[in-house]
Amino acid sequence: MPENFKQKISKSLFCPAEKIAGSDDILKEILLRLPASSFLRFSCVSHRWRSFISDPYLRQLHSRRSAAITDSLFLFRKSDKKYHLDHLFNFSDTSKRKAVPSNIRTFTDNFRSVEPLHCCNGLFCLKLLQLDSDDVLYCVYNPCINQYTNIPLPDINDEEEIVSMNLAFDPKRSSHYKIICIVGERLGFLRFLTFSTEGNNWKESGQGVRVRGEYYFVKGVFLNGNIYWISKHSAFVCFDVDNDSLKIMPSTSVPAGRNGRKIKYFGESAGNLHLIEENALRPTLLNVFELKNDCSKWYVKYVVDVDDLTHLFPLMVINEPESLDVIGYQFDVLCFVDGEKDGKTMLVLSVPEKMISYDIKSMDIKELLKVQLEQLHLSIEGFIVYNYKWYHAYNHVQTLALV
C-alpha cells in the first residue's frame, strides 16, 4: 500500500478524535457522563485536561447531573471506645477492589478515632479524635476527592453536649449543604441548630423537644427536604430543613409483649423510605416497610424469609451451649435495594464471617466479602457479636462536591 495512502487513512481516522478533544463543549458533555472516579482520572491526560477538569463549575455541574447511585458500603467498627473504618466494598460488582483506598486510609490514620455521625449523598459528617491529644474535631468529608473541612462548633453551655450532627445535601438543588446539630441537655431535652455553608453561621431552630427513649440520630435519612429519624420505642420524627421545624411522623407499631421494635435496617432506595423489622412471629422473617409517598403511613411491601440462609451459613444460629436449642440469630441488613421497576430487589446482609447479597425474588446468593471472626469482636449492650449491625454501614455515593 502506498505510503501517502496510509497517511490519508490515518488522517481520516484520527481527525474526528482530535476535533472532539479540541472542543471544550463536546469534551464537557463526555466528561459529565462519566462516574466521578473516572472523571478525576482523566485529569492525568494533559495539562489542558487537568485545568479543564479542575474547574469548580464543571464539578458542581457533574454533581448535579450525576445520579446518586449506591453500589458500595463503608463499614465502621467500634472497639475500646474508638471508631475505625474497616472496609469499603462494592456489592453490585464483586470484581472491584474491596480494600479501603490508600488516600482515604491515609486520612483516617491521622486520627485515633473516626466516628461517623451521618452520611448524605456522598458527604460524611465525622467526629475525629486527635492522635496526640483528647481534642475533638467535627468535619464534613468527601471520600471521593479526599477533601474535608472543619465544622465550627455551635455555642453551647457546660451542661449540654452534642448528641449528633446530620447533613442535608441535595446536589440537584444546590452545591451548598446544611448541618443540623442535635444538642442534648439533662432530662432528655433536645434542641436543634442549623449551620448553612451559604450564611456560614449557626441558627437556632427555636424549637426544643423532650424525648423519651433513644433515637438513631447517626442513621437519619435525608429525603425531599426532611431528615427522618426512627426509634426502638418512641414515635418517629422528622426535621423540616427549610422551615427549621421538628414534626411527628407516622410510626410502625410496637408488637405486643415486646420491649421495642426489632429494627434491622432503615434507609432510602428508589426515592422511598424503607424500614426493615424482625417479624413478631419468627425472627428469620423480615417485614420490609415502605412509607407512602404522602407520608401518611407505613405499609408492608415485602416479607422476606431468610431461614434457608441458616443452612448455608450455620454461624447465623445461636445455640444454648448445653441443650443446643436455638436461642437467637446473628445477622443484620446493611443495605436494601428496591429494584421493583428497573432491576433486582436485594438485601445486603452481614452474617458471621461474611457479607452476602440476597435477591429476594430469584433467591440468588452472592458472597461479597470475608471477615475473620477474630477481627470482629463487637461489644454491643454487653454481648459479643460477630457480625456488623445495620448502623455500622454507610452508603458510598461518588460525588465531586466541594466541601
Side-chain angles (χ1 to χ4, degrees):
M1 184 181 293
E3 189 65 30
N4 61 344
F5 188 64
K6 288 183 180 180
Q7 291 176 357
K8 287 182 180 180
I9 293 177
S10 178
K11 287 182 179 180
S12 65
L13 287 174
F14 291 102
C15 188
E18 291 173 357
K19 287 183 178 179
I20 290 174
S23 170
D24 286 352
D25 290 337
I26 297 176
L27 183 59
K28 181 179 74 173
E29 289 302 317
I30 293 173
L31 291 172
L32 289 175
R33 285 164 171 77
L34 295 175
S37 56
S38 300
F39 181 99
L40 292 174
R41 280 198 294 270
F42 275 103
S43 64
C44 301
V45 171
S46 67
H47 290 296
R48 176 175 167 270
W49 280 42
R50 178 183 292 274
S51 176
F52 189 73
I53 289 173
S54 299
D55 181 11
Y57 174 75
L58 184 66
R59 292 194 174 199
Q60 290 176 12
L61 194 61
H62 184 280
S63 297
R64 292 184 183 184
R65 289 180 56 170
S66 298
I69 300 173
T70 299
D71 62 2
S72 302
L73 292 174
F74 281 105
L75 293 179
F76 288 82
R77 171 175 51 90
K78 183 181 180 181
S79 64
D80 298 327
K81 299 182 179 180
K82 300 181 184 67
Y83 290 81
H84 310 277
L85 174 58
D86 276 354
H87 301 283
L88 168 61
F89 71 96
N90 187 294
F91 55 78
S92 64
D93 185 353
T94 55
S95 66
K96 291 188 177 180
R97 184 176 60 180
K98 301 179 179 68
V100 177
S102 59
N103 59 339
I104 298 177
R105 182 63 71 194
T106 300
F107 168 76
T108 60
D109 286 348
N110 284 324
F111 303 95
R112 267 194 295 158
S113 175
V114 179
E115 179 180 352
L117 299 180
H118 194 232
C119 183
C120 182
N121 288 322
L123 301 185
F124 271 92
C125 188
L126 300 174
K127 180 180 179 181
L128 307 171
L129 186 61
Q130 299 278 34
L131 279 175
D132 53 358
S133 70
D134 291 330
D135 292 342
V136 173
L137 299 175
Y138 293 86
C139 80
V140 176
Y141 176 58
N142 183 345
C144 183
I145 61 176
N146 200 34
Q147 183 186 74
Y148 77 100
T149 185
N150 290 334
I151 301 171
L153 293 180
D155 186 17
I156 61 176
N157 61 50
D158 294 338
E159 295 184 351
E160 295 178 317
E161 65 174 355
I162 295 175
V163 176
S164 189
M165 290 189 184
N166 278 211
L167 284 166
F169 173 54
D170 184 354
K172 295 187 182 300
R173 290 181 57 187
S174 172
S175 59
H176 293 279
Y177 55 84
K178 290 184 178 181
I179 302 167
I180 290 77
C181 181
I182 302 103
V183 177
E185 297 180 352
R186 294 179 180 178
L187 302 177
F189 189 82
L190 300 178
R191 62 189 183 100
F192 299 83
L193 299 93
T194 303
F195 179 89
S196 172
T197 53
E198 285 185 288
N200 206 36
N201 62 337
W202 286 100
K203 175 185 175 184
E204 182 92 34
S205 70
Q207 181 183 21
V209 63
R210 180 165 291 168
V211 298
R212 293 181 179 179
E214 295 183 358
Y215 282 83
Y216 292 100
F217 286 119
V218 296
K219 292 296 288 185
V221 177
F222 177 64
L223 183 66
N224 299 328
N226 297 302
I227 299 179
Y228 298 88
W229 293 302
I230 60 170
S231 170
K232 287 179 65 175
H233 308 94
S234 305
F236 301 166
V237 296
C238 68
F239 187 82
D240 186 329
V241 176
D242 291 333
N243 296 311
D244 291 326
S245 61
L246 189 72
K247 300 179 290 187
I248 300 293
M249 61 174 288
S251 310
T252 58
S253 59
V254 178
R258 277 199 169 183
N259 183 25
R261 305 173 181 91
K262 297 285 187 178
I263 297 171
K264 290 291 187 180
Y265 173 78
F266 178 56
E268 176 270 336
S269 179
N272 293 301
L273 279 181
H274 295 104
L275 172 67
I276 301 179
E277 295 182 10
E278 182 183 294
N279 191 289
L281 298 176
R282 188 149 50 93
T284 55
L285 279 181
L286 301 177
N287 292 335
V288 181
F289 292 92
E290 183 172 286
L291 184 66
K292 297 195 71 166
N293 290 332
D294 60 2
C295 296
S296 59
K297 68 174 183 178
W298 294 90
Y299 69 97
V300 177
K301 188 170 185 178
Y302 306 103
V303 177
V304 183
D305 190 351
V306 298
D307 186 65
D308 287 343
L309 295 179
T310 62
H311 304 297
L312 297 173
F313 308 102
L315 290 177
M316 289 176 61
V317 182
I318 304 173
N319 300 103
E320 204 282 329
E322 294 184 3
S323 66
L324 297 182
D325 291 338
V326 176
I327 58 174
Y329 297 87
Q330 288 198 122
F331 73 93
D332 252 50
V333 180
L334 303 183
C335 187
F336 171 69
V337 179
D338 190 2
E340 179 185 31
K341 296 180 180 179
D342 54 5
K344 60 184 179 181
T345 298
M346 71 171 185
L347 303 172
V348 178
L349 295 166
S350 171
V351 301
E353 290 191 324
K354 300 179 189 299
M355 311 295 163
I356 61 173
S357 65
Y358 178 58
D359 190 314
I360 68 174
K361 294 181 178 179
S362 68
M363 301 180 72
D364 287 340
I365 302 166
K366 286 185 180 179
E367 183 178 308
L368 304 173
L369 185 68
K370 288 185 178 180
V371 181
Q372 296 297 322
L373 285 181
E374 59 268 20
Q375 295 177 359
L376 185 61
H377 287 217
L378 297 168
S379 178
I380 300 174
E381 297 178 355
F383 295 93
I384 300 297
V385 298
Y386 294 95
N387 67 293
Y388 289 94
K389 310 300 286 183
W390 67 274
Y391 43 79
H392 294 141
Y394 291 82
N395 294 342
H396 176 45
V397 177
Q398 292 189 9
T399 177
L400 297 175
L402 301 175
V403 296

